[in-house]
C-alpha cells in the first residue's frame, strides 16, 4: 500500500507551528497573497507546493484557519483545495508547480542516509592532514555545517544531471554552482562544488574525491564553513547514481 503524503507548505513564520516536521496543506491563493507582500518566492523553501486548482481568495481564509489550528484532515483538504497523492505520483507532476527547494524537500530516506554519510566522511577527512597532490598539503580543518539551502542546491543538481543526462557543474540552462546556491536562498561569500557519478556508497565517492587534487582541495578548504549534499538514484540514467556536494560561506553572520 502506497504511503500517502499531502502536498504542504511549512508555515515557518507561524508561532503555532514550531515543529519543522509538521506539515500543513493550504490553498494556492494564500501563496499568491504572501507573494504580494514579499513573503514568498521561488527561492523560499518554506513554501513548497503551488496547486493550480484553488485560486479564489475567499477560500484561502477558512483554509488558513484550519491549518493554523492544526486540524488538517478532510476539512482542510476541501477548503484548501489540496490533494492526497503517492510519492510516485508526486514525481510525475509538473516541476513548475513546485518552488525550487519544494520539489526536493521530500527526499527518499535511503538517499538522505547516504547524504548524511557523505558529510560524516568529509568531516572525518577534514579532521586529518590531507595530501592533495599538486594543490599541496592541507592541515586539519574544522567540520563543515550542513545547511538546508545548500542541500537544496545539491539535490536539484543531482536530480538534473540524472534526468537531463549530463555530468557537469554547469547545467543545460547555463547555471553555475553559485547560481543554484543563490536560487536556493544561500547568500554566499565563497562557493564551491564537487560532483560524482556511479558511486552507490558514500565512502567510495569521498575516496574518489580525495584521490583527485582539485576535489581534495575543495573539501579541505578552510574558505568553506557550510555544506550540503544531494544524492539521486535513477536506474535508467547513464550512471545510475549522482552525487553533488556544495560548499560555501555566507555573507550573513549567524
Amino acid at each position: 500500500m502506497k504511503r500517502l503524503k499531502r502536498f504542504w507548505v511549512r508555515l515557518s513564520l507561524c508561532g503555532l507551528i514550531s515543529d519543522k516536521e509538521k506539515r500543513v496543506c493550504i490553498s494556492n491563493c494564500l501563496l499568491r497573497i504572501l507573494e504580494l507582500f514579499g513573503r514568498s518566492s521561488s527561492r523560499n523553501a518554506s513554501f513548497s507546493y503551488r496547486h493550480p486548482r484553488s485560486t479564489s481568495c475567499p477560500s484561502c481564509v477558512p483554509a488558513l484557519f484550519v491549518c493554523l489550528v492544526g486540524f488538517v484532515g478532510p476539512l482542510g483538504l476541501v477548503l484548501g483545495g489540496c490533494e492526497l497523492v503517492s510519492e510516485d505520483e508526486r514525481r510525475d507532476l509538473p516541476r513548475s508547480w513546485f518552488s525550487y527547494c519544494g520539489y526536493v524537500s521530500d527526499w527518499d530516506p535511503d538517499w538522505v542516509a547516504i547524504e548524511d554519510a557523505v558529510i560524516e566522511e568529509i568531516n572525518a577527512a577534514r579532521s586529518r592532514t590531507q595530501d592533495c597532490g599538486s594543490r599541496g598539503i592541507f592541515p586539519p580543518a574544522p567540520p563543515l555545517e550542513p545547511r538546508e539551502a545548500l542541500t537544496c542546491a545539491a539535490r536539484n543538481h543531482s536530480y538534473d544531471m540524472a534526468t537531463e543526462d549530463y555530468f557537469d557543474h554547469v547545467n543545460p540552462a547555463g547555471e553555475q554552482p553559485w547560481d543554484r546556491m543563490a536560487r536556493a536562498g544561500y547568500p554566499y561569500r565563497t562557493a564551491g562544488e564537487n560532483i560524482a557519478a556511479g558511486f552507490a556508497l558514500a565512502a567510495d565517492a569521498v575516496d574518489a574525491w580525495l584521490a583527485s587534487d582539485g576535489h581534495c582541495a575543495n573539501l579541505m578548504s578552510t574558505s568553506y564553513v557550510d555544506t550540503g549534499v544531494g544524492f539521486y538514484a535513477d536506474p535508467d540514467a547513464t550512471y545510475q547514481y549522482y552525487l553533488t556536494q556544495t560548499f560555501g560561506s555566507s555573507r550573513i553572520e549567524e
Side-chain angles (χ1 to χ4, degrees):
M1 184 175 181
K2 293 182 177 179
R3 182 164 58 99
L4 298 180
K5 293 185 178 181
R6 287 188 184 90
F7 286 123
W8 53 276
V9 217
R10 269 186 303 165
L11 299 181
S12 58
L13 300 179
C14 177
L16 295 179
I17 303 177
S18 58
D19 182 358
K20 74 175 186 177
E21 293 303 321
K22 180 176 288 189
R23 298 169 180 184
V24 296
C25 192
I26 198 167
S27 63
N28 184 50
C29 68
L30 177 60
L31 298 183
R32 292 175 182 267
I33 291 173
L34 291 174
E35 284 179 344
L36 292 177
F37 288 92
R39 297 291 186 180
S40 176
S41 72
S42 61
R43 296 182 183 180
N44 192 339
S46 296
F47 304 99
S48 63
Y49 177 63
R50 305 177 181 215
H51 196 293
R53 195 179 78 202
S54 179
T55 56
S56 62
C57 286
S59 69
C60 75
V61 176
L64 175 60
F65 175 76
V66 171
C67 290
L68 291 182
V69 298
F71 297 109
V72 184
L75 180 60
L77 295 176
V78 172
L79 295 177
C82 298
E83 294 177 340
L84 285 173
V85 297
S86 70
E87 181 66 17
D88 290 341
E89 291 168 331
R90 176 182 184 270
R91 291 298 175 190
D92 290 335
L93 292 172
R95 195 173 182 184
S96 60
W97 288 12
F98 298 82
S99 71
Y100 183 65
C101 291
Y103 192 76
V104 297
S105 59
D106 268 346
W107 218 229
D108 188 301
D110 292 336
W111 301 349
V112 174
I114 292 173
E115 294 169 354
D116 292 342
V118 168
I119 294 177
E120 289 182 9
E121 292 281 346
I122 292 293
N123 282 336
R126 284 172 66 92
S127 70
R128 305 184 299 270
T129 298
Q130 298 291 340
D131 182 354
C132 296
S134 63
R135 302 298 293 273
I137 305 295
F138 285 74
L144 297 170
E145 291 292 329
R147 300 297 179 197
E148 286 188 10
L150 294 183
T151 299
C152 162
R155 286 177 177 176
N156 269 290
H157 192 50
S158 292
Y159 171 84
D160 281 343
M161 288 193 292
T163 57
E164 299 295 330
D165 193 25
Y166 71 95
F167 183 69
D168 201 298
H169 291 287
V170 183
N171 66 20
E175 288 182 331
Q176 300 276 0
W178 39 89
D179 296 323
R180 292 186 289 272
M181 292 163 64
R183 191 174 176 187
Y186 184 82
Y188 68 87
R189 178 165 52 87
T190 59
E193 182 182 85
N194 282 348
I195 58 176
F199 298 98
L201 299 177
D204 292 344
V206 174
D207 285 345
W209 283 337
L210 289 171
S212 167
D213 295 357
H215 294 91
C216 176
N218 240 8
L219 66 86
M220 289 301 297
S221 175
T222 55
S223 296
Y224 306 132
V225 296
D226 299 328
T227 192
V229 175
F231 180 86
Y232 187 82
D234 183 349
D236 297 324
T238 300
Y239 298 105
Q240 295 191 353
Y241 308 107
Y242 293 80
L243 184 65
T244 302
Q245 180 165 22
T246 53
F247 304 89
S249 62
S250 174
R251 298 192 309 270
I252 302 174
E253 295 290 337
E254 294 192 356

